[in-house]
Amino acid sequence: MLKIVHTGDIHLDSPFSGLDERRAEVRKTELRGTFSSLMTYVRTNHTDILLIAGDLFDRGFVTRETIDIVMREFSRASACRIIISPGNHDPYTPDSVYAKVKFPPNVYIFKSEEQTRFEFPEINCDVYGYAFTGESHPASAVTATEDNGRIRLLCAHAHLDAPASPYAPVTSAQLVAAGFDYAALGHVHNPPKVSEAGNCIFGYCGCIEGRGYDETGQKAALSFEIGDDGKKTMRRLVFARRRYEAETLNVTGAVSASDVRERIKSLIREKKYSADTLLRVTLTGETEPSLVLSAPLVADGVDEVFALDIKDETVPALDTEYLEADPTVKGAFYRELKPRLLDSDPAVRKTALRALRYGLSAMAGESISD
Ligand SMILES: [Mn+2]
């Protein structure tokens, strides 16, 4: 039995700049914790090979704390062969951590843009791969492998079936033709399921933990086992501390920020989101024209999730006929804004709607908040 764990796109030291300072610090620490959980699994489940298919680090600069954790975890997993293919975020350059820091002897790092291999005859396996040596890798590095009776793995940062990509484009046909049993790819953070063609199973593991609202859902690493009878088994392994989710909520008829807040709380209850979730809610529908939904005000007191991000895309429920004919300053204000409310550019329309809301709110003598 050969036990392989496939991960990548961990992006240690990501800044989590979409969050406030406190939450960003928590998330940075948690991401290191997710990496440590992965390594604990690798160590305690007798994993033969850990494949890290690029972007272990978020960028060239890596903090001392992160380097210490990575070195400690890799050393502790001394029985596991750890293979790293530097990706476009953490390329192998003379200044990179990969070149400057001495990694434990069980760690194998690809250094060349060309495909090379590490041989492990004791487990009847060869691991092929290459490195990004800069921010892009315009050509495919994948070439034919040697049929020597061993299991052939690929560990690489690559862009599958995207011929014009500057990130090592590769086709599924190339992977099959090269003779790989399993091609462990990195680069795409929200991947489709792994595929199979010919004798080759190939695909992305996705990022290990979401880092923004464009990386929603439960993220995972992949476990790939090849039995002595050749039977292949694949499983997802979840180590992520939290997940990002995005919802759209129609709040038509809402009259106040607290009204909207209650509707969001209901949504959270209904979807059973909890403290492990960072939630973005996009508000849609028609609301009271003078209602200005400031994100901090709406989110205030919603403690059920770790973070709540509000996107207001509601439109005011306008009695346009009334406003059109209104002889007061309200009507004049509306008529003044009207060309912009009907502009072909959505950004102009959005700003005009906002201006209309603030204006009507001020003229109504109401507070623009709650
Ligand atoms: Mn990545």
Side-chain angles (χ1 to χ4, degrees), residues 136-298:
S136 65
H137 189 306
S140 171
V142 169
T143 56
T145 56
E146 184 198 349
D147 185 5
N148 54 10
R150 291 183 204 145
I151 291 164
R152 286 171 277 173
L153 307 178
L154 174 69
C155 175
H157 209 65
H159 209 170
L160 190 59
D161 296 325
S165 172
Y167 305 111
V170 71
T171 64
S172 39
Q174 276 178 298
L175 296 173
V176 175
F180 295 114
D181 294 285
Y182 181 60
L185 306 179
H187 187 57
V188 169
H189 291 193
N190 303 308
K193 278 193 175 158
V194 293
S195 308
E196 193 165 2
N199 200 35
C200 179
I201 294 180
F202 58 94
Y204 297 101
C205 49
C207 52
I208 200 168
E209 169 118 31
R211 296 172 306 130
Y213 295 104
D214 54 349
E215 296 175 357
T216 55
Q218 194 63 273
K219 300 302 184 190
L222 297 175
S223 151
F224 184 66
E225 295 179 356
I226 305 178
D228 297 331
D229 56 358
K231 189 168 177 282
K232 296 168 175 177
T233 317
M234 189 117 223
R235 273 181 309 135
R236 295 178 90 233
L237 305 169
V238 175
F239 302 107
R241 295 290 195 272
R242 299 187 204 265
R243 61 193 174 132
Y244 287 78
E245 296 293 347
E247 297 280 354
T248 302
L249 183 63
N250 188 313
V251 293
T252 293
V255 292
S256 67
S258 61
D259 191 3
V260 172
R261 188 183 309 127
E262 286 315 309
R263 293 185 193 206
I264 291 172
K265 286 193 176 216
S266 297
L267 173 77
I268 291 171
R269 276 195 299 276
E270 185 193 316
K271 296 277 179 162
K272 296 189 168 60
Y273 291 139
S274 59
D276 75 344
T277 304
L278 295 94
L279 180 64
R280 165 173 285 173
V281 179
T282 302
L283 304 172
T284 61
E286 291 194 358
T287 56
E288 192 57 29
S290 59
L291 179 63
V292 178
L293 294 168
S294 94
L297 189 72
V298 173

Side-chain angles (χ1 to χ4, degrees), residues 6-10 50-57 74 82-92 98 103 107-118 127-133 137 141 153-158 168 184-187:
H6 165 198
T7 188
D9 295 293
I10 299 177
L50 171 64
L51 303 173
I52 303 179
D55 293 358
L56 168 60
F57 305 109
F74 283 175
I82 299 169
I83 295 55
I84 302 175
S85 278
N88 60 301
H89 280 267
D90 59 352
Y92 193 99
Y98 298 127
F103 281 69
V107 178
Y108 303 81
I109 303 170
F110 289 110
K111 298 180 178 147
S112 164
E113 271 196 334
E114 313 269 304
Q115 180 174 293
T116 56
R117 70 174 163 179
F118 296 112
V127 182
Y128 291 79
Y130 54 86
F132 272 61
T133 55
H137 189 306
L153 307 178
L154 174 69
C155 175
H157 209 65
L185 306 179
H187 187 57

